[in-house]
């Protein structure tokens, strides 16, 4: 009974925890939807005021719309880049500091929308315009820097991928490349024969390395060439022998 009671309490607590989490997620989803709907309605209202209301009131609405659009775009770009690039944490921290100034300016512009004194509002417009330009320029700089960084990483990854694909394609077509000659086979090949001697000229005579057999074979020939055989001299008084007659 004690085990059953403990299991019952455990499942009861688990069910209560799951219910709280589901209700919290649903509430956050509803709040997010309401916030987005309120933001969309407010943006359309500001756009309509900037187009319909002339004078300082319309310009205030236009400044507020420009500020909100730039800050929201930068926030979305930085949060989207944080999922892939952890180095954007510092940029996000800078944007949070800039966002505090943006919220302050947006609240001031909202109060000035219903300002009845148009002359005072016209006097304050140059300062408000300069603050809005400074904040939006900084936000745009952060946003475009984050986008350029993401595009640079994408280009580097694409170049590396293209190089790897080219190498793989070359490996798959290995039969189209000429095979290099084997250096070991080239070294083991016999040397070429010497050229044939010319027809005349003693300097171009082909020489062969001497061996004992060739040396002994050439010695008699050389001796015969040095001492030619002697011939018997002939004298003028000697007559040619006649043939003997039979008579």
């Amino acid at each position: 009974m004690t085990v059953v009671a403990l299991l019952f309490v455990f499942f009861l607590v688990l069910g209560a925890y799951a219910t709280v989490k589901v209700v919290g997620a649903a509430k956050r989803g509803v709040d997010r939807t309401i916030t987005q709907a309120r933001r969309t309605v407010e943006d359309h209202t500001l756009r309509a005021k900037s187009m319909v209301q002339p004078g300082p009131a319309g310009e205030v609405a236009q400044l507020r719309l420009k500020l909100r659009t730039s800050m929201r775009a930068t926030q979305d770009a930085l949060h989207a880049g944080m999922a892939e690039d952890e180095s954007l944490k510092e940029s996000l921290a800078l944007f949070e500091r800039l966002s505090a100034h943006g919220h302050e300016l947006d609240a001031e512009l909202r109060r000035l929308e219903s300002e009845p004194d148009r002359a005072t509002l016209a006097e304050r417009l140059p300062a408000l315009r300069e603050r809005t330009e400074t904040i939006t320029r900084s936000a745009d700089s952060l946003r475009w820097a984050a986008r350029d960084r993401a595009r640079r990483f994408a280009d580097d990854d694409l170049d590396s991928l293209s190089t790897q694909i080219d190498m793989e394609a070359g490996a798959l077509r290995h039969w189209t490349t000429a095979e290099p000659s084997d250096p070991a086979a080239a070294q083991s090949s016999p040397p070429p024969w010497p050229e044939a001697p010319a027809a005349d000229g003693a300097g171009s005579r082909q020489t062969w390395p001497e061996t004992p057999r060739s040396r002994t074979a050439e010695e008699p020939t050389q001796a015969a060439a040095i001492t030619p055989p002697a011939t018997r001299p002939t004298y003028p008084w000697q007559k040619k022998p006649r043939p003997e007659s039979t008579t």
Side-chain angles (χ1 to χ4, degrees):
M1 294 295 295
T2 304
V3 174
V4 172
L6 290 176
L7 289 175
F8 176 74
V9 173
F10 173 74
F11 283 115
L12 184 63
V13 173
L14 184 61
Y17 177 76
T19 303
V20 171
K21 296 294 287 183
V22 170
V23 172
K27 183 180 179 181
R28 287 192 299 270
V30 172
D31 293 341
R32 190 181 301 110
T33 303
I34 292 175
T35 302
Q36 291 179 356
R38 185 186 298 114
R39 183 184 302 166
T40 303
V41 172
E42 193 170 4
D43 290 345
H44 284 290
T45 303
L46 290 174
R47 189 172 289 107
K49 287 182 180 181
S50 63
M51 296 175 63
V52 174
Q53 292 182 355
E59 189 171 354
V60 168
Q62 193 174 22
L63 291 176
R64 191 181 175 199
L65 179 63
K66 179 181 179 181
L67 176 66
R68 290 165 61 90
T69 303
S70 177
M71 297 296 290
R72 189 181 305 120
T74 304
Q75 181 179 2
D76 294 342
L78 291 178
H79 281 289
M82 277 287 297
E84 299 178 357
D85 190 2
E86 294 292 335
S87 61
L88 293 178
K89 289 182 178 180
E90 187 176 355
S91 300
L92 188 59
L94 292 175
F95 175 75
E96 294 296 337
R97 295 173 55 187
L98 183 66
S99 183
H101 293 278
H103 285 298
E104 182 181 356
L105 179 60
D106 184 65
E108 185 177 356
L109 291 173
R110 186 188 300 110
R111 290 191 300 267
L112 291 176
E113 284 182 359
S114 57
E115 176 64 36
D117 191 356
R118 303 299 181 183
T120 305
L121 182 59
E123 292 178 359
R124 300 190 60 181
L125 271 178
L128 295 173
R129 192 183 302 113
E130 184 178 357
R131 288 176 60 190
T132 304
E133 186 66 27
T134 301
I135 294 176
T136 55
R137 183 172 61 250
S138 300
D140 294 343
S141 179
L142 281 176
R143 182 175 69 255
W144 283 110
R147 289 177 178 175
D148 292 342
R149 182 179 179 86
R151 187 176 67 252
R152 177 64 178 177
F153 285 162
D155 293 342
D156 292 343
D157 184 69
L158 180 60
D159 293 340
S160 176
L161 181 60
S162 300
T163 303
Q164 293 178 5
I165 289 176
D166 293 340
M167 293 176 62
E168 182 65 19
L172 292 176
R173 298 191 184 97
H174 62 87
W175 63 87
T176 59
T177 59
E179 297 183 356
S181 58
D182 190 3
Q187 293 178 1
S188 62
S189 59
W193 291 96
E195 297 181 357
D200 51 353
S204 61
R205 180 177 302 174
Q206 184 176 359
T207 60
W208 298 89
E210 294 184 356
T211 59
R213 178 179 296 180
S214 62
R215 187 181 296 111
T216 56
E218 291 178 357
E219 286 179 356
T221 306
Q222 292 178 358
I226 294 174
T227 57
T231 58
R232 298 179 61 183
T234 58
Y235 298 98
W237 61 81
Q238 292 180 350
K239 295 182 178 180
K240 185 175 181 182
R242 296 180 180 179
E244 295 182 359
S245 59
T246 57
T247 56

